[in-house]
């Protein structure tokens, strides 16, 4: 049974539109990744210059640089694998909460219930990392072309 000419054109148009759409999405991803990466590097350099101009580095500054490092690693991993490592977002959140807690204690010298709440949030995020790691080990979701199952260790940072 032969397909009608209109059906062939429809399929060709669909294939063309899908190719153009994929090209535009990938172009946006690369542009956004380069922009985010450049802004992260810029912010890291700016923070480093401010630290040198102050003549000393506080724990807040060092933790902020760690946040930039994690963001840069996320961009690099996403650029290489097209997968967003959820654990890195959790690591950034843990580092940000740690920075908040240390800053609060060092500036106010008055530990209060806020410290307990932040500590509980950090504990919950640490448990979330364990859950994500266990789930990616137990229920891997990424399959390569040769049908090998790959878990979140494709990030290249953990065995």
């Amino acid at each position: 049974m032969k397909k009608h000419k209109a059906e062939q054109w429809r399929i060709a148009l669909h294939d063309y539109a899908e190719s153009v759409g994929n090209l535009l999405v990938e172009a946006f991803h690369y542009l956004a990744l380069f922009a985010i990466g450049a802004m992260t590097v810029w912010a890291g350099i700016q923070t480093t210059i401010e630290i040198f101009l102050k003549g000393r580095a506080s724990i807040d500054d060092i933790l902020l640089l760690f946040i930039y490092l994690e963001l840069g690693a996320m961009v690099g991993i996403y650029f290489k694998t097209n997968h967003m490592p959820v654990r890195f977002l959790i690591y950034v959140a843990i580092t940000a909460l740690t920075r908040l807690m240390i800053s609060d204690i060092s500036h106010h010298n008055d530990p209060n219930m806020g410290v307990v709440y932040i500590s509980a949030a950090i504990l919950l995020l640490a448990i979330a990392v364990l859950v994500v790691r266990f789930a990616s080990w137990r229920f891997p979701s990424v399959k390569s072309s040769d049908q090998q199952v790959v878990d979140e260790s494709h990030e290249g940072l953990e065995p």
Side-chain angles (χ1 to χ4, degrees):
M1 177 178 199
K2 286 186 165 182
K3 291 186 177 182
H4 297 301
K5 196 68 161 172
E7 181 65 16
Q8 291 174 346
W9 287 353
R10 186 194 67 78
I11 292 171
L13 179 63
H14 179 269
D15 291 344
Y16 179 74
E18 187 173 3
S19 294
V20 170
N22 288 339
L23 173 68
L24 292 174
V25 168
E26 285 186 34
F28 173 76
H29 276 150
Y30 287 128
L31 181 65
L33 283 174
F34 281 119
I36 292 168
M39 284 186 267
T40 302
V41 169
W42 179 39
I45 291 171
Q46 195 173 19
T47 301
T48 304
I49 291 170
E50 289 173 8
I51 291 170
F52 282 121
L53 291 177
K54 278 194 311 189
R56 64 179 180 79
S58 68
I59 191 72
D60 288 343
D61 298 329
I62 294 167
L63 288 172
L64 183 59
L65 290 175
F66 269 108
I67 290 172
Y68 293 143
L69 177 67
E70 292 294 330
L71 291 173
M74 281 176 33
V75 169
I77 289 169
Y78 189 77
F79 184 75
K80 289 180 180 179
T81 65
N82 277 343
H83 292 94
M84 177 58 70
V86 174
R87 283 185 303 129
F88 276 61
L89 294 171
I90 300 172
Y91 295 152
V92 168
I94 289 172
T95 306
L97 286 173
T98 303
R99 183 174 184 261
L100 175 69
M101 183 170 62
I102 289 172
S103 176
D104 188 40
I105 291 172
S106 67
H107 290 103
H108 296 110
N109 290 330
D110 182 29
N112 54 20
M113 280 305 285
V115 174
V116 175
Y117 295 143
I118 294 172
S119 299
I122 292 171
L123 178 63
L124 283 174
L125 289 169
I127 291 169
V129 169
L130 289 174
V131 169
V132 168
R133 286 297 295 157
F134 176 76
S136 68
W137 171 76
R138 182 72 172 91
F139 307 105
S141 62
V142 179
K143 291 187 179 189
S144 65
S145 59
D146 60 350
Q147 295 303 318
Q148 274 187 327
V149 176
V150 180
D151 69 334
E152 210 175 6
S153 65
H154 70 277
E155 295 172 357
L157 298 175
E158 295 180 2

